């Protein structure tokens, strides 16, 4: 997995050391991770808005290890015969699995070092399904919400507006 942004440049240290306070009250450090099969955007919520702190991209080398010789076979529907799975499809699946494992590892490291107190995961149901079993209990217990949508196309302002409308507002009403 390749990281860009503050997470790549400074690592977890700035997020471990930071604190947010409102008067005498310490506020939780909230991370929002927006994921699809090709990228993950990391945001933090320092003051009511969102700040992008990094982006992760899958390691393309994981996909190149899959070849026609290593791809599986599956039953062809209707014909009764068997055909070789497309190597490209196998490579994409392998790449997605490796990417989710890398994300889970990064989130575990960040949670164990207290870089965040609460986590919001935003991903398609497929990606959430791949990621959930890989998450360490330190990460799992910090998950505050999950949104099963692909919102990777939204910028910070649009994502902030979406979360204000769907997540934060609904939590204030209950």
């Amino acid at each position: 997995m390749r990281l860009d942004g503050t997470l790549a440049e400074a690592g977890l240290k700035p997020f471990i050391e930071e604190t947010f306070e409102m008067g005498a009250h310490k506020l939780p450090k909230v991370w929002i991770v927006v994921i699809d099969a090709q990228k993950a955007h990391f945001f933090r919520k320092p003051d009511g808005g969102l700040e992008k702190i990094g982006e992760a991209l899958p390691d393309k080398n994981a996909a190149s290890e899959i070849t026609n010789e290593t791809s599986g076979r599956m039953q062809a529907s209707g014909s009764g015969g068997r055909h070789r799975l497309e190597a490209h499809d196998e490579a994409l699946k392998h790449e997605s699995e490796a990417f989710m494992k890398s994300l889970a590892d990064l989130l575990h490291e960040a949670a164990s070092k207290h870089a965040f107190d609460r986590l919001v995961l935003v991903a398609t149901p497929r990606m959430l399904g791949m990621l959930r079993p890989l998450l360490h209990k330190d990460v799992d217990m910090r998950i505050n919400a999950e949104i099963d949508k692909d919102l990777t196309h939204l910028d910070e302002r649009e994502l902030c507006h979406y979360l204000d409308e769907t997540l934060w507002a609904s939590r204030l009403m209950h």
Side-chain angles (χ1 to χ4, degrees):
M1 177 174 75
R2 190 181 85 229
L3 282 175
D4 292 324
T6 305
L7 279 174
E9 296 161 8
L12 294 172
K13 187 175 180 177
F15 308 107
I16 296 166
E17 297 173 349
E18 73 184 348
T19 59
F20 300 109
E21 296 178 5
M22 182 178 281
H25 300 288
K26 182 179 174 185
L27 298 175
K29 297 184 279 186
V30 179
W31 277 20
I32 298 94
V33 185
V34 183
I35 306 162
D36 70 12
Q38 300 301 312
K39 61 190 158 296
H41 301 285
F42 292 82
F43 299 90
R44 68 183 185 133
K45 187 173 175 32
D47 58 4
L50 291 182
E51 176 188 347
K52 189 170 185 179
I53 59 173
E55 180 175 86
L57 302 168
D59 182 5
K60 296 295 182 188
N61 292 334
S64 66
E65 294 172 6
I66 304 290
T67 65
N68 281 330
E69 290 77 33
T70 62
S71 64
R73 291 185 179 266
M74 66 179 280
Q75 188 73 28
S77 62
S79 69
R82 298 176 70 80
H83 65 85
R84 188 169 294 282
L85 289 174
E86 292 294 325
H88 178 72
D89 292 341
E90 280 288 310
L92 291 177
K93 180 182 177 198
H94 181 71
E95 181 181 295
S96 293
E97 290 169 350
F99 185 46
M100 291 303 111
K101 173 73 171 110
S102 295
L103 284 175
D105 291 346
L106 176 62
L107 290 171
H108 178 229
E109 180 183 2
S112 67
K113 293 181 177 179
H114 304 284
F116 63 87
D117 301 309
R118 295 186 184 160
L119 179 64
V120 175
L121 292 176
V122 181
T124 63
R126 181 175 170 264
M127 291 297 106
L128 280 174
M130 290 176 77
L131 181 62
R132 284 306 254 131
L134 301 172
L135 294 175
H136 190 275
K137 66 180 179 178
D138 287 346
V139 176
D140 195 50
M141 57 192 247
R142 287 175 170 79
I143 295 175
N144 193 251
E146 289 182 357
I147 298 173
D148 59 351
K149 289 187 176 235
D150 180 4
L151 300 179
T152 55
H153 61 281
L154 299 181
D155 64 21
E156 289 168 61
R157 184 185 53 77
E158 293 167 327
L159 180 61
C160 186
H161 178 74
Y162 181 88
L163 293 174
D164 283 345
E165 295 287 316
T166 60
L167 185 62
W168 315 131
S170 67
R171 290 190 181 268
L172 293 174
M173 298 176 130
H174 295 287

